[in-house]
Amino acid sequence: MIKMVAVDMDGTFLDDKRQYDKATFLSLFKRMKARHIHFVAASGSQYQRLRHEFAEVADQMDYISQNGAIVHSGGKLQHIEAISDQQVHDVIQLLRKSFKPGLISQEVVAGLNGTYVNRDMDPKILKIVKYYYRPVIGVDNLATIASTAVKDQFTKLAVSFAPGINFDSASAKLAQVLPAKLTNETSGFNTDLVGSANATKRSGLQILQDHYQIADDELMTFGDNENDLSMLTITPHSFAMKNAADKIRQSAAHVTQFDNNHNGVLETLKMAL
């Protein structure tokens, strides 16, 4: 029996226009609630953005944000896997040393309460950042940002590489230079999320599973990208999206009949629940 459904957002639950069939979802959500099935949004994005996406039922569901660094049940914080100021500074220095100017198009430091960018960020890029994160706060220099000064706990760095770069090679290079306690996971859109090696979507799900006493075989998961692999390989009820890369589809137990632009998650849930 399924007791929890966890969905990635971009490329999975949302279509390419960043929308979803809200009426169908709310109908299915009502069905899930009646059957005591927990619904989880599991994303690399921030909690604040996820709540906005599900405004009608925001306090009735669970959230794994920033690739597992932060876990909420409704409005209640369950767990945070923070990284230190020094780790943030070290990563930014490594980026400067390892990649030539122009190869990195965006650097973002995400925390529990907000997201931080350099004040001189290109306005076009800033507009994109503001879709995935909220609130977005400009600072003088990310290389010297202090958690005490902004009154936050840092959890992830989002590093986006410029269009046209060999992203797989750049991501592999970044993985090689990171300190042992940090890891990077691809979240799509030429972006790697860097954070604690202990924080994955799998670790976030484990916290919720322990909280609700839910076994792996009572879990259903959906994803389309590398950062979803940790939750696609733990249950016999995992679904890679039809639009996912071969590596992702081969790692999941199942593949959805429809892609993200044709309600792949919702159509699967209609048949499964």
Side-chain angles (χ1 to χ4, degrees):
M1 177 184 294
I2 299 300
K3 295 183 179 180
M4 179 177 285
V5 175
V7 302
D8 170 55
M9 293 296 289
D10 298 287
T12 299
F13 191 77
L14 300 179
D15 63 25
D16 291 347
K17 294 181 180 179
R18 300 168 181 166
Q19 299 173 343
Y20 67 95
D21 183 341
K22 193 163 289 189
T24 298
F25 166 71
L26 291 175
S27 175
L28 285 167
F29 186 83
K30 185 177 180 179
R31 190 188 306 179
M32 285 187 279
K33 291 294 288 183
R35 299 183 184 185
H36 305 289
I37 298 172
H38 299 274
F39 182 78
V40 185
S43 173
S45 293
Q46 267 190 311
Y47 167 68
Q48 292 87 341
R49 177 234 174 169
L50 299 178
R51 281 189 64 91
H52 176 75
E53 295 283 5
F54 297 101
E56 293 86 353
V57 294
D59 287 329
Q60 303 176 55
M61 53 181 284
D62 302 276
Y63 305 89
I64 296 169
S65 55
Q66 298 183 38
N67 271 5
I70 302 175
V71 181
H72 284 84
S73 292
K76 183 179 180 181
L77 177 66
Q78 291 283 357
H79 180 78
I80 179 170
E81 191 74 33
I83 57 177
S84 69
D85 293 11
Q86 190 60 54
Q87 286 175 309
V88 171
H89 303 161
D90 289 347
V91 170
I92 292 175
Q93 290 177 9
L94 284 171
L95 294 175
R96 301 286 182 273
K97 293 178 181 178
S98 304
F99 299 95
K100 295 179 180 178
L103 294 184
I104 295 175
S105 62
Q106 170 189 309
E107 293 172 354
V108 169
V109 176
L112 176 63
N113 301 320
T115 295
Y116 306 91
V117 300
N118 287 316
R119 294 190 200 280
D120 60 357
M121 174 176 275
D122 183 318
K124 292 181 180 179
I125 296 177
L126 180 60
K127 184 178 180 180
I128 297 172
V129 171
K130 285 184 175 180
Y131 171 76
Y132 293 102
Y133 301 93
R134 60 187 66 194
V136 177
I137 302 161
V139 298
D140 292 333
N141 189 355
L142 287 180
T144 58
I145 191 172
S147 55
T148 53
V150 297
K151 298 180 181 179
D152 206 345
Q153 298 178 74
F154 301 139
T155 51
K156 294 282 184 180
L157 291 93
V159 181
S160 296
F161 293 94
I165 193 173
N166 185 322
F167 175 72
D168 290 341
S169 296
S171 180
K173 182 176 182 179
L174 178 57
Q176 290 175 353
V177 299
L178 286 176
K181 293 183 178 182
L182 297 178
T183 189
N184 60 313
E185 286 188 311
T186 300
S187 61
F189 309 104
N190 266 24
T191 299
D192 266 0
L193 295 182
V194 178
S196 169
N198 295 324
T200 65
K201 291 186 180 183
R202 173 68 186 105
S203 69
L205 275 177
Q206 186 63 62
I207 290 165
L208 292 174
Q209 288 177 253
D210 290 346
H211 180 67
Y212 294 119
Q213 294 298 295
I214 294 174
D216 288 348
D217 61 2
E218 297 172 323
L219 176 67
M220 180 181 288
T221 60
F222 295 85
D224 77 307
N225 220 317
E226 181 186 78
N227 62 333
D228 301 315
L229 285 174
S230 65
M231 69 176 189
L232 290 176
T233 54
I234 60 169
T235 173
H237 310 294
S238 64
F239 288 82
M241 299 304 293
K242 183 179 180 180
N243 50 284
D246 287 345
K247 175 184 177 182
I248 311 303
R249 288 189 278 118
Q250 291 169 5
S251 298
H254 310 277
V255 177
T256 60
Q257 183 178 353
F258 303 100
D259 64 19
N260 67 310
N261 287 318
H262 297 86
N263 293 335
V265 171
L266 297 178
E267 291 298 326
T268 303
L269 290 177
K270 281 182 184 178
M271 295 183 285
L273 301 179

